[in-house]
């Protein structure tokens, strides 16, 4: 009986480990996007436009521009033109009109804990 359970568990583990999310990242290098975020428990929506070299973010009646440097088809770094801070983004999964990503500070401070956040961007225009 125990060997039967072992094969059942091993088969289930093998099937679930073979799942790979779809990552057609090149479709999301440029365009206009919206994203949801939360500040002090209040849900908000922002938007950004991105071309080959720049990204312009619109949120809370503010505008922030950044340069874009692609590391590969699914990873890029935004460098703020205002304060020169950099954020590293990695696209984890794509659908036909959105992508799920994680992001963190690109410059690591050894005195601070690395915090990685997740988000979802929805493409509204090409």
């Amino acid at each position: 009986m125990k060997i039967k359970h072992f094969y059942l568990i091993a088969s289930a583990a093998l099937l679930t480990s073979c799942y790979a999310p779809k990552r057609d990242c090149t479709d999301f290098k440029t365009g206009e996007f919206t994203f949801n975020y939360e500040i002090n428990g209040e849900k908000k929506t922002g938007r950004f436009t991105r071309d080959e070299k720049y990204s312009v973010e619109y949120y809370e009646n503010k505008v922030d521009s950044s340069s874009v440097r692609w590391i590969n088809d699914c990873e890029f770094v935004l460098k703020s033109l205002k304060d020169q801070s950099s954020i590293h983004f990695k696209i984890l999964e794509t659908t036909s009109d959105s992508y799920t990503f994680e992001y963190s500070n690109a410059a690591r401070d050894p005195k601070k804990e690395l915090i990685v956040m997740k988000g979802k961007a929805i493409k509204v225009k090409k």
Side-chain angles (χ1 to χ4, degrees):
M1 211 35 113
K2 289 183 180 182
I3 202 92
K4 187 176 185 181
H5 287 126
F6 170 77
Y7 285 120
L8 182 61
I9 292 169
S11 296
L14 181 62
L15 288 174
T16 57
S17 67
C18 293
Y19 171 75
K22 182 179 175 185
R23 289 180 69 196
D24 291 331
C25 303
T26 55
D27 293 342
F28 299 99
K29 282 189 168 187
T30 62
E32 184 176 332
F33 304 85
T34 62
F35 62 97
N36 295 320
Y37 62 100
E38 192 173 307
I39 295 182
N40 298 326
E42 186 179 346
K43 293 184 180 188
K44 301 180 180 232
T45 300
R47 75 180 167 89
F48 62 95
T49 58
R50 185 170 54 226
D51 63 24
E52 295 291 329
K53 294 184 180 184
Y54 298 100
S55 178
V56 180
E57 295 85 25
Y58 306 89
Y59 58 95
E60 290 196 345
N61 297 319
K62 298 177 186 174
V63 179
D64 191 16
S65 299
S66 302
S67 63
V68 179
R69 180 177 58 85
W70 285 90
I71 298 168
N72 59 45
D73 284 343
C74 294
E75 293 183 66
F76 60 96
V77 174
L78 291 183
K79 185 173 184 177
S80 173
L81 299 177
K82 191 181 301 182
D83 64 11
Q84 299 298 304
S85 62
S86 297
I87 301 175
H88 176 254
F89 288 82
K90 182 176 182 180
I91 298 174
L92 304 173
E93 186 173 2
T94 63
T95 67
S96 61
D97 66 347
S98 69
Y99 65 90
T100 303
F101 60 92
E102 66 180 24
Y103 62 99
S104 63
N105 287 338
R108 307 279 195 282
D109 184 344
K111 297 175 187 171
K112 293 183 180 178
E113 178 185 354
L114 176 65
I115 298 173
V116 178
M117 305 290 286
K118 286 190 177 184
K120 183 175 185 176
I122 299 168
K123 193 167 192 174
V124 292
K125 283 187 184 177
K126 288 188 174 191

